[in-house]
Amino acid sequence: MSVPADEPGNVAHTIFERFLHAGECQEVLGCFGELCQQLGLQGSGLQLYHSLKAALNYWSAKALWSKLDKKAGHKVYDQGKACASTKCLVVGAGPCGLRAAIELALLGARVVLLEKRDSFSRNNVLHLWPFTIHDLRALGAKKFYGRFCTGTLDHISIRQLQLILLKVALLLGVEVHISVKFEGLVPPTHKAGGWQAVVQPSSSPLTHYQFDVLISAGGGKFVPEGFKRKETRGKLAIGITTNFINRHSQAEVEVAEISGVARIYNQKFFQNLYNKTGIDLENIVYYKDDTHYFVMTAKKQSLLKKGVILQDKADIESLLSPENVNRDALLSYAKEAANFSTNYHLPELEFALNHRDLPDVDMFDFTCMTRSENAALVRDYNGARLLLGLVGDCLVEPFWPLGTGVARGFLAAFDAAWMVRRWAAGTPPLEVLAERESIYQHLSQTSPDNTNKNISQYSIDPATRYPNINLQAIKPSQVRDLYLVGIVEVDHKRKSDNRLITAASGDVYEELLSWCQASTAGYRGVAVTNFTTSWTSGLALCALIHRFRPDLVDFDSVGTQDAVQIHQMMLDMAEQELGIQPVLSSIEMATMTEPDHLGLITYLSQFYEAFKTSPEVEEVSKKPLSPHGTRGAILFLSKLQKSRNLTRKRAHDSAQKDAEAKRSHRDTELDVGLDGDTLDSAREPLQTTTTDPGQLPRERAGENSDACYFCGSHVYILERASAEGHFFHRGCFQCRRCGATLRLGDYAFNEEDGNFYCSLHYPNLPGMDLSQHEAPALPDLGDADAATDPPLDAGRPCVSPKEGAPGPLQPTPAAPHQGEEPGAVEDAVDAGDVEEQELLAQPGGDAREEEGPGAELQGVAEEGEESGGRRKIILTPLEKLSLSTLNLTSEAEPDPPPKPARLWLQAVPEALPAPGQGQDCWKEEEEELDMQKTLEESDSEEEEKKKKEEEGTDLGIMAELCLNLGKEDMYSTSEHTLSRRAREAHMKRFCKAQAIQRRLEEIEVTFRELEQEGIKLEKLLRDENGSPADQQTQWTNQLLYLVQKKNSLMTEESDLMIAVQELKLEEQQWQLDKKLRSYMNREETLKTPEDCRAEQETLAQLLKVVNERNLLIHIQEEKRLSELRA
């Protein structure tokens, strides 16, 4: 059979198309090799790329060449000559290694990449920042994977990302070798030689490859010799990933993704999950890509109870070893969590298979996170220099809930390429290293909010990505230790750099005593000479408080009272007004003995940290000083906790009073119906035993600070915490019902039973108990009916396919029982609003709240109605419009660039813009469209039709959903913008919550280490055998050093807890705003009286949340100003 003359060209085109759509690593490499053979091409680097471009000039290839040419034409690459004489070895074909190889190839370097595996099998899904989406589009990602980030998708599976980058790397001339393992470096044997690699198999041609740059992207377990690792440890954290087959059916398309939900601000969902299934999680994320991907953090006790972990073991490696894990129970656990979190809407969940042909479920430990202390170093042997750089997990192990791994990995790849460019330009090695370390300082803090917003201008030049970066922050003299000459001696013993006991700088004991003497000088009856007898009368402590806060106490009127009473009054005042927690009881303070002086020193050190100022400031400032820096956050949380206690108590008393009144009324009606007379008792007023809400009964005087309130064991000073007048171990401070860890400002105390609870399990509040069948309280960002239908009640149960009927409704305190007077419970809570706002106001500051979004509506909302005190809220249409357009994202943080504009079908909008919103709305939308053009794909019409057909098969159902909405076309842009902003705001909350949770856990671990060291010192100081005075002083200084570290950690913890409160309020505002929009979007004529009443109640709740957020902003601003004054 004869072959046409143009057949070779057609064969090459066919092979190229196969290469573009290849779905396996070996298939990609095979097709590319076949293509080069067919075209008779050899060589590597950009020369190979230009030869390919010349040989393949048909329409499909041209579209890809135009993108790559535009990328390669950037001035930073100097037309591929910037690193023309540089030879690079890249270890690891993960996304970061491949991305670094691509940049090095564009710079003109010869790049060889090796990978020990022979396949890409990781189905796990990665979250993409806007710049990574734009970056991958600029490399032609959609040419290789047509469904890349369509609509509002902002994620991709690791496998697909590797395939895209591998294809780009091959086209740019990167030499890729699979099934080759890197095992080390071979220094040059003579001056004319170069650095080589030890690889397996030894028959690989790479054994003879000499290079002068090594980029390691081999993962966290592989780091080249010479780099030091730093470890941060949190509490035990067990992650579970699972992938289910995605058949792209209509039912699967309709299920909304979960961009992230965390226990720290949505406790209700996780409590429902636990009640229903026994599964206890900290967070969960669900993405749809090639698979249905779920990742979650599970609690150890839950895994033990469900039989996933067979035996509890102290060693984490043994705990999660295959021999100690029931694989079938793990599969069941993951499947049950996935079903519940998606409301059982994913049909027939079937596990995808991993590279071992087993269900793709994995359980891993991320308790310890490691990072390299430096990003690069230089090795010099026999005059041959080798530049080594790290990217990916071996540089910084990402904390997976933040979704920062691939984004920061790409940034590190760009930084490494910039370093190589500077190296090739002949920059002195120490300057190259100093600049690289200056850039590395920014990596762990980068986010879409603090990087440059013009993502289309990003390049390997750090100035295009990091605003106001100082490339000379680290000087060359500071990185001399990163220039290694000769053979590197590897120290396999890890150095512990977190030693807590060090020689305390100065005499802390004497410094504290001198400060106390100076602060109490001149007060009648006060002479501080020690930390025992000088303080027993209580006058010294009173003088200390009066010195800095004369508005709190009248020193002259305190002299004649009992010492215990004086101490109790001062302890309460310091806690409530200064945020300083007690360490000793009032009796112990009044009867100070030698063993108790350590507790007093610890207590007074908090005053020292709160009020220490320079002499100049003390002379100039005549106003009362506020606790700056160290105690401001603790003070706020203390006041917040007090206000919550008052609110809960009033709600309980009011609910109890209403219940008794209704019961009495029913009894009266019954008696009248039977006998025609009322009982005498019915005429008697109700007898209640409510205490004055302004005075919480607290019996502190008899409390022994040495005994834990919960376990009764001895409590040493460093492990001592206090709340509600009780002393205890920090580790014992847990919810009575669920055992959750409690923290200052985030607990509930029941005076009747003397127990502490989390906010979910505080008893006696109506509707607080959770049903076994309650629906998961998850934000639904993709609900097609969210914009048109009123929301279901929060307590509506979830009906799984296995259930016949829903369980009973469990109303929340904000949603009264059916048949009750509307707002009965809410009135009880609102009764304490005024006092709560007063309590939260900073001392010495104005008690008024700052004006916020709801300030102009507050006057209308406070109009009274009826004798019952229920407030009627009447709003004009303009006021409703003002409230409906509240911006839920922080004004201080500019919006990141939007997702691609094509196919706005995946996230159905939440609400339409109000007609009277004005030109600003449309102007903003034009800006959004301009930014979206940056992410638009400039494909040909023929290519566009092809892609639309492919996407339509998977996303057609979304088009039907959007068509059924019946909305005007003019609102599509704003709908998309609202939906996108809501999704981004929710993702921000989730990432921030996870960062806070991680830091809280790290603080908890550090607390334990401090406590252990403190216990040792306290035992030594209390030893009756006696020690030399100098030794006692040294131990005391060391103990005070630990106390200072503890105080600092307590401050940081309190700051984080304020951020937690802010996240909770943001989540509540988002939910209430969504609910209010759904009511306001309905025609007034179609609203029932119940709808109108629910709308007003929702508005009242929203106003309350807005006011609480304003208070948080106020307190943070006051704290900031006080720190500036200090």
Side-chain angles (χ1 to χ4, degrees):
M1 182 177 178
S2 61
V3 179
D6 60 348
E7 185 65 21
N10 293 335
V11 172
H13 295 174
T14 303
I15 298 173
F16 185 71
E17 289 298 320
R18 282 171 42 212
F19 167 77
L20 292 179
H21 299 98
E24 298 293 339
C25 173
Q26 295 189 41
E27 183 184 1
V28 171
L29 294 172
C31 289
F32 187 76
E34 186 180 350
L35 178 65
C36 292
Q37 184 178 4
Q38 178 68 33
L39 297 175
L41 301 179
Q42 294 181 349
S44 61
L46 291 180
Q47 180 183 357
L48 177 63
Y49 167 70
H50 292 304
S51 300
L52 275 169
K53 188 172 62 171
L56 294 172
N57 57 1
Y58 73 112
W59 66 269
S60 182
K62 282 184 177 180
L64 181 58
W65 304 146
S66 64
K67 283 190 168 296
L68 295 180
D69 284 345
K70 183 178 179 181
K71 179 72 175 177
H74 196 283
K75 62 181 181 180
V76 75
Y77 303 118
D78 193 19
Q79 298 181 351
K81 300 176 182 178
C83 299
S85 59
T86 304
K87 296 179 180 180
C88 303
L89 177 67
V90 179
V91 180
C96 299
L98 286 165
R99 191 65 190 87
I102 289 171
E103 289 301 325
L104 295 173
L106 289 170
L107 286 167
R110 181 187 175 186
V111 185
V112 175
L113 182 146
L114 61 85
E115 168 59 47
K116 65 181 180 180
R117 300 181 180 89
D118 61 358
S119 64
F120 297 154
S121 57
R122 290 184 286 177
N123 292 315
N124 294 353
V125 178
L126 299 172
H127 173 68
L128 301 178
W129 290 3
F131 95 84
T132 53
I133 296 176
H134 178 267
D135 177 67
L136 291 168
R137 283 178 174 272
L139 293 175
K142 287 190 72 69
K143 304 299 179 184
F144 307 108
Y145 184 51
R147 288 170 36 214
F148 173 74
C149 287
T150 53
T152 58
L153 288 179
D154 57 358
H155 47 75
I156 188 173
S157 70
I158 298 176
R159 189 179 68 85
Q160 285 291 354
L161 180 57
Q162 285 178 284
L163 288 171
I164 292 172
L165 295 174
L166 174 63
K167 294 171 185 177
V168 175
L170 290 172
L171 292 175
L172 293 176
V174 175
E175 301 175 41
V176 179
H177 298 259
I178 61 174
S179 302
V180 179
K181 183 179 180 181
F182 177 86
E183 293 191 339
L185 291 168
V186 179
T189 56
H190 49 86
K191 291 187 177 181
W195 288 83
Q196 294 176 301
V198 179
V199 299
Q200 289 294 335
S202 57
S203 58
S204 171
L206 291 183
T207 55
H208 305 294
Y209 176 59
Q210 295 185 357
F211 48 89
D212 45 18
V213 173
L214 172 67
I215 302 297
S216 175
K221 295 182 180 180
F222 171 74
V223 180
E225 296 176 355
F227 288 92
K228 297 179 181 178
R229 306 287 286 174
K230 187 189 306 182
E231 182 182 275
T232 58
R233 179 177 292 272
K235 295 172 66 176
L236 178 63
I238 301 175
I240 297 176
T241 60
T242 181
N243 287 275
F244 299 98
I245 295 175
N246 187 356
R247 299 178 178 85
H248 304 285
S249 65
Q250 176 176 337
E252 290 171 301
V253 171
E254 289 177 335
V255 178
E257 293 183 333
I258 304 171
S259 55
V261 59
R263 177 185 290 273
I264 201 169
Y265 64 82
N266 194 340
Q267 295 175 339
K268 186 176 181 181
F269 165 75
F270 293 98
Q271 190 60 45
N272 294 343
L273 172 64
Y274 180 75
N275 291 342
K276 175 83 175 179
T277 65
I279 294 174
D280 204 3
L281 302 179
E282 288 288 349
N283 51 46
I284 189 168
V285 173
Y286 161 51
Y287 285 143
K288 271 184 293 190
D289 207 85
D290 288 345
T291 61
H292 296 288
Y293 170 68
F294 291 83
V295 58
M296 61 202 81
T297 302
K299 292 189 175 182
K300 183 179 73 172
Q301 291 303 320
S302 171
L303 295 170
L304 286 168
K305 289 181 180 178
K306 298 287 284 185
V308 177
I309 297 177
L310 301 179
Q311 292 182 353
D312 191 4
K313 298 182 180 181
D315 179 55
I316 300 176
E317 188 173 346
S318 301
L319 181 73
L320 301 183
S321 63
E323 299 78 18
N324 198 40
V325 174
N326 184 332
R327 186 75 181 172
D328 292 335
L330 175 60
L331 299 181
S332 176
Y333 190 98
K335 192 170 186 177
E336 210 169 0
N339 271 322
F340 183 89
S341 60
T342 56
N343 281 330
Y344 299 89
H345 289 162
L346 283 177
E348 301 178 10
L349 282 181
E350 182 180 346
F351 289 102
L353 301 181
N354 58 22
H355 62 286
R356 295 187 297 267
D357 289 331
L358 296 174
D360 194 356
V361 180
D362 188 27
M363 187 161 60
F364 59 96
D365 162 54
F366 61 101
T367 302
C368 300
M369 310 298 296
T370 61
R371 57 174 292 153
S372 177
E373 291 186 359
N374 52 287
L377 57 84
V378 173
R379 293 189 61 179
D380 188 336
Y381 191 83
N382 279 340
R385 292 172 176 171
L386 175 67
L387 176 65
L388 294 93
L390 305 180
V391 297
D393 289 3
C394 64
L395 180 63
V396 179
E397 277 190 334
F399 182 50
W400 72 260
L402 299 183
T404 58
V406 69
R408 290 178 180 169
F410 275 25
L411 291 174
F414 297 161
D415 297 336
W418 176 257
M419 174 184 68
V420 175
R421 185 183 189 277
R422 297 272 289 158
W423 174 268
T427 307
L430 289 181
E431 290 186 18
V432 173
L433 292 173
E435 185 178 272
R436 178 68 187 97
E437 298 308 313
S438 299
I439 300 170
Y440 181 42
Q441 288 183 327
H442 291 259
L443 186 62
S444 294
Q445 285 75 42
T446 53
S447 70
D449 297 321
N450 58 22
T451 49
N452 284 332
K453 299 301 178 289
N454 191 357
I455 59 177
S456 63
Q457 299 300 317
Y458 278 22
S459 73
I460 62 173
D461 185 352
T464 64
R465 293 174 280 121
Y466 308 113
N468 305 319
I469 188 171
N470 180 11
L471 297 179
Q472 284 80 42
I474 294 179
K475 306 302 180 184
S477 59
Q478 297 175 266
V479 295
R480 293 186 184 278
D481 60 326
L482 301 183
Y483 191 95
L484 308 179
V485 180
I487 300 297
V488 176
E489 295 292 336
V490 181
D491 184 8
H492 296 284
K493 296 181 180 180
R494 291 202 170 197
K495 295 181 180 180
S496 177
D497 57 352
N498 57 350
R499 294 181 59 192
L500 298 173
I501 294 296
T502 59
S505 58
D507 194 334
V508 185
Y509 178 91
E510 290 297 331
E511 184 179 347
L512 178 62
L513 182 60
S514 299
W515 180 81
C516 290
Q517 290 171 338
S519 300
T520 57
Y523 283 89
R524 171 184 49 82
V526 178
V528 175
T529 59
N530 54 40
F531 288 114
T532 52
T533 57
S534 299
W535 301 85
T536 54
S537 67
L539 294 179
L541 182 59
C542 182
L544 189 63
I545 294 177
H546 183 269
R547 168 68 179 81
F548 298 102
R549 290 297 304 274
D551 57 311
L552 295 180
V553 58
D554 183 4
F555 181 82
D556 295 330
S557 64
V558 177
T560 59
Q561 299 181 22
D562 178 75
V564 175
Q565 293 180 352
I566 294 175
H567 277 293
Q568 188 60 57
M569 181 173 65
M570 294 301 105
L571 289 174
D572 289 343
M573 190 173 297
E575 182 178 7
Q576 297 171 9
E577 301 297 335
L578 304 178
I580 295 177
Q581 302 297 309
V583 179
L584 300 171
S585 67
S586 56
I587 290 180
E588 291 170 326
M589 294 278 286
T591 59
M592 184 65 61
T593 59
E594 188 64 28
D596 290 331
H597 84 286
L598 295 176
L600 179 63
I601 292 174
T602 302
Y603 183 59
L604 293 176
S605 69
Q606 298 182 71
F607 286 88
Y608 177 70
E609 291 295 325
F611 293 113
K612 62 178 179 181
T613 55
S614 63
E616 294 78 7
V617 175
E618 291 184 11
E619 292 177 4
V620 173
S621 178
K622 301 297 183 182
K623 298 189 299 181
L625 296 177
S626 297
H628 56 79
T630 56
R631 314 314 297 181
I634 299 176
L635 169 62
F636 171 71
L637 288 179
S638 177
K639 289 180 174 291
L640 177 64
Q641 191 60 55
K642 182 178 178 183
S643 69
R644 285 179 171 171
N645 289 342
L646 288 173
T647 301
R648 291 189 179 101
K649 183 173 180 60
R650 288 185 171 183
H652 168 53
D653 293 342
S654 177
Q656 188 177 22
K657 186 175 180 180
D658 291 343
E660 291 179 1
K662 290 181 180 180
R663 190 184 309 113
S664 175
H665 183 64
R666 286 196 300 268
D667 293 342
T668 301
E669 292 179 347
L670 181 60
D671 292 335
V672 170
L674 292 176
D675 303 326
D677 292 316
T678 60
L679 295 175
D680 293 338
S681 60
R683 301 189 184 98
E684 297 177 1
L686 290 172
Q687 299 295 325
T688 59
T689 58
T690 57
T691 58
D692 182 3
Q695 297 179 352
L696 290 176
R698 308 177 79 178
E699 300 178 359
R700 291 190 177 187
E703 186 80 23
N704 182 5
S705 64
D706 287 342
C708 177
Y709 176 72
F710 298 103
C711 70
S713 301
H714 185 81
V715 186
Y716 291 93
I717 290 174
L718 259 294
E719 58 181 358
R720 189 174 301 173
S722 66
E724 306 298 327
H726 302 296
F727 300 92
F728 43 79
H729 301 97
R730 283 180 56 90
C732 293
F733 194 31
Q734 298 177 347
C735 173
R736 174 72 174 178
R737 281 189 57 183
C738 68
T741 300
L742 301 178
R743 291 185 174 90
L744 182 66
D746 196 22
Y747 69 86
F749 179 67
N750 185 9
E751 295 178 6
E752 295 182 1
D753 60 15
N755 290 323
F756 291 84
Y757 299 89
C758 65
S759 56
L760 271 179
H761 293 132
Y762 181 69
N764 301 327
L765 276 182
M768 190 58 68
D769 292 333
L770 296 169
S771 169
Q772 291 283 340
H773 305 286
E774 195 168 354
L778 272 182
D780 187 2
L781 298 176
D783 187 1
D785 300 325
T788 55
D789 297 335
L792 301 175
D793 292 337
R796 182 165 182 174
C798 166
V799 182
S800 71
K802 299 180 180 179
E803 295 173 342
L809 294 178
Q810 295 292 329
T812 63
H817 292 277
Q818 189 174 5
E820 284 186 2
E821 181 68 21
V825 177
E826 186 179 334
D827 292 339
V829 177
D830 291 341
D833 284 353
V834 176
E835 186 164 354
E836 178 176 345
Q837 294 172 10
E838 293 174 355
L839 287 167
L840 292 178
Q842 274 278 35
D846 195 348
R848 294 171 313 190
E849 305 133 18
E850 297 179 358
E851 293 184 3
E856 61 181 353
L857 307 177
Q858 191 171 1
V860 180
E862 291 180 352
E863 294 182 5
E865 181 193 25
E866 304 178 11
S867 58
R870 183 165 169 259
R871 295 179 294 184
K872 184 176 182 181
I873 301 171
I874 303 175
L875 298 178
T876 65
L878 183 59
E879 290 169 332
K880 289 184 178 181
L881 174 61
S882 176
L883 186 62
S884 69
T885 56
L886 284 175
N887 186 7
L888 299 184
T889 57
S890 172
E891 293 295 335
E893 298 178 351
D895 290 331
K899 306 297 184 299
R902 187 190 302 130
L903 281 181
W904 292 347
L905 307 179
Q906 257 188 304
V908 180
E910 288 182 349
L912 301 179
Q917 197 162 342
Q919 297 180 353
D920 291 340
C921 173
W922 301 111
K923 182 180 178 182
E924 188 178 46
E925 290 164 8
E926 290 175 3
E927 294 175 356
E928 295 282 346
L929 287 174
D930 290 339
M931 296 180 73
Q932 288 166 359
K933 289 178 182 178
T934 304
L935 297 175
E936 287 277 351
E937 186 71 19
S938 57
D939 296 330
S940 64
E941 293 183 4
E942 183 174 354
E943 185 81 352
E944 194 67 38
K945 290 180 181 178
K946 179 180 178 181
K947 289 187 175 62
K948 286 183 178 179
E949 291 176 1
E950 295 175 354
E951 293 161 354
T953 59
D954 295 332
L955 305 175
I957 181 62
M958 295 182 182
E960 297 178 12
L961 290 174
C962 287
L963 290 175
N964 291 336
L965 291 178
K967 298 292 182 182
E968 291 81 5
D969 293 338
M970 62 179 294
Y971 294 131
S972 59
T973 301
S974 59
E975 289 174 355
H976 173 69
T977 301
L978 285 172
S979 177
R980 180 186 58 79
R981 284 185 174 179
R983 182 186 179 93
E984 290 172 354
H986 183 74
M987 189 64 188
K988 279 184 181 180
R989 280 196 298 277
F990 177 72
C991 291
K992 187 175 181 180
Q994 293 311 298
I996 291 172
Q997 181 69 32
R998 176 69 185 185
R999 182 56 190 150
L1000 286 173
E1001 292 174 354
E1002 291 174 357
I1003 289 175
E1004 196 65 35
V1005 171
T1006 308
F1007 265 130
R1008 289 201 207 104
E1009 295 173 351
L1010 285 171
E1011 290 168 1
Q1012 292 172 2
E1013 298 292 342
I1015 290 172
K1016 294 177 183 177
L1017 286 173
E1018 188 173 348
K1019 287 180 177 179
L1020 291 172
L1021 288 168
R1022 293 181 184 273
D1023 188 4
E1024 297 179 356
N1025 294 331
S1027 300
D1030 293 343
Q1031 184 67 61
Q1032 291 272 352
T1033 301
Q1034 182 181 356
W1035 288 338
T1036 303
N1037 286 334
Q1038 290 179 346
L1039 183 64
L1040 284 174
Y1041 171 75
L1042 296 180
V1043 169
Q1044 289 176 352
K1045 288 185 69 82
K1046 177 187 175 183
N1047 292 341
S1048 176
L1049 288 174
M1050 287 180 62
T1051 298
E1052 184 181 0
E1053 183 183 52
S1054 299
D1055 285 330
L1056 292 173
M1057 291 309 298
I1058 290 178
V1060 169
Q1061 304 303 322
E1062 197 170 7
L1063 286 175
K1064 289 182 178 180
L1065 291 174
E1066 285 180 15
E1067 181 73 11
Q1068 292 176 29
Q1069 182 174 341
W1070 183 84
Q1071 295 280 6
L1072 291 170
D1073 181 81
K1074 180 180 177 182
K1075 185 176 181 181
L1076 184 62
R1077 286 176 187 270
S1078 67
Y1079 283 120
M1080 296 178 67
N1081 286 338
R1082 301 187 69 184
E1083 295 291 339
E1084 292 291 335
T1085 56
L1086 300 179
K1087 293 181 182 179
T1088 64
E1090 290 77 11
D1091 291 338
C1092 296
R1093 185 175 61 202
E1095 181 179 349
Q1096 292 184 358
E1097 290 173 352
T1098 303
L1099 178 57
Q1101 296 172 36
L1102 182 58
L1103 286 172
K1104 182 180 178 182
V1105 170
V1106 169
N1107 288 335
E1108 290 179 358
R1109 289 191 67 185
N1110 285 341
L1111 287 175
L1112 276 176
I1113 295 172
H1114 174 75
I1115 195 72
Q1116 290 174 317
E1117 180 64 14
E1118 284 292 318
K1119 180 175 178 290
R1120 186 185 67 84
L1121 293 176
S1122 66
E1123 289 173 348
L1124 291 176
R1125 291 193 296 265

